[in-house]
Amino acid sequence: NKVKKAYLLADKEQKALPLKASYNKKTGHYRLKIDLPHTAPDKVVSVVVLEFEGSPEVETTICQQADQTILLPGVSGEASKDNKPSELKFTARGGGADWRDAAISLTWNFTVEKAGTYQIDLVTTETGSHGSPVWQGGQKLKIRCAGQFQETTVAADSKEYNQRSQYWKLIHTSAGKIKFEKPGTYELSLIPENFGENKTGFTFKEIQLNHIK
């Protein structure tokens, strides 16, 4: 849909914000760029209002971000088991999955706008009580994308403070690289091979694809 106008909800005069719509023929992807003021008008949540022509038709495919990263949240993946739809539960504690069945896999479809090589960052979370959070790695996984396969073992390569859940840290695992030869729509599957004796479950949160060259 064509966006007729964008403005800040806090602006009583509803002054139009500069905007630019574009379309990428190679990927079939629409993008809307809005120039925002340097200072947010509200202390907590600032809202941008968009006025459309007709009812909005929203593109639901996962798209590459402006900083070239591609984020594949676990909750957005399609779970399957034995080639049939399945389900994974994602807990509130740290936002990770309670993933205990190694026969379940996750698959995402997403758009790549910039061809090149991407580092795979697999993100899991701590879990347990907020006073004594726990985490367990060692799960063996396979990542399939663009005709390429990467095998990895989940390890705590780095830890990060979780802004959404202050008691449970995010755990990052470097899971290899993927090369996209050209822009387009791709599919990535996260396939467990062996969870071993895992008491806490595979607390998967997301995969981040970071452009490196």
Side-chain angles (χ1 to χ4, degrees):
N1 300 71
K2 182 179 180 180
V3 177
K4 299 188 294 183
K5 183 180 179 181
Y7 60 90
L8 294 171
L9 184 63
D11 183 2
K12 295 181 180 180
E13 297 181 358
Q14 299 184 0
K15 183 180 178 181
L17 297 171
L19 57 85
K20 180 180 180 182
S22 60
Y23 176 69
N24 189 324
K25 292 182 179 180
K26 293 182 179 180
T27 61
H29 173 55
Y30 293 87
R31 185 180 292 276
L32 181 69
K33 181 180 179 181
I34 304 172
D35 290 339
L36 300 174
H38 292 290
T39 303
D42 299 285
K43 292 182 179 181
V44 181
V45 179
S46 297
V47 179
V48 176
V49 179
L50 298 181
E51 293 184 356
F52 295 88
E53 284 187 359
S55 300
E57 296 179 14
V58 181
E59 184 177 341
T60 58
T61 304
I62 296 174
C63 299
Q64 190 163 13
Q65 302 300 303
D67 63 359
Q68 308 302 336
T69 61
I70 299 170
L71 179 63
L72 305 177
V75 293
S76 299
E78 294 184 4
S80 62
K81 180 179 179 179
D82 299 327
N83 295 319
K84 297 179 181 179
S86 186
E87 184 178 355
L88 276 177
K89 294 182 179 180
F90 286 82
T91 65
R93 295 181 176 182
D98 184 18
W99 193 344
R100 299 177 184 273
D101 188 348
I104 295 177
S105 62
L106 272 180
T107 299
W108 298 262
N109 288 289
F110 57 95
T111 298
V112 174
E113 293 188 75
K114 186 177 181 62
T117 302
Y118 288 73
Q119 176 68 46
I120 306 170
D121 182 12
L122 189 147
V123 184
T124 53
T125 73
E126 294 178 331
T127 187
S129 68
H130 72 273
S132 55
V134 294
W135 178 87
Q136 185 175 351
Q139 301 90 351
K140 297 184 182 299
L141 311 166
K142 181 182 291 184
I143 296 173
R144 180 181 64 204
C145 183
Q148 302 160 65
F149 290 87
Q150 292 288 346
E151 293 185 348
T152 188
T153 299
V154 177
D157 293 332
S158 64
K159 297 183 179 181
E160 177 189 3
Y161 174 75
N162 188 347
Q163 295 182 4
R164 292 181 178 270
S165 185
Q166 61 177 326
Y167 300 113
W168 298 278
K169 290 185 176 65
L170 299 176
I171 311 297
H172 293 265
T173 301
S174 180
K177 299 178 177 67
I178 290 178
K179 185 175 182 179
F180 299 104
E181 298 290 347
K182 59 182 180 179
T185 300
Y186 291 87
E187 179 181 280
L188 184 146
S189 294
L190 180 61
I191 308 166
E193 293 187 320
N194 187 356
F195 280 175
E197 296 182 6
N198 197 294
K199 297 180 181 180
T200 63
F202 177 35
T203 55
F204 173 75
K205 183 177 186 293
E206 63 195 21
I207 285 178
Q208 299 173 9
L209 301 179
N210 302 307
H211 184 263
I212 54 177
K213 64 178 180 179

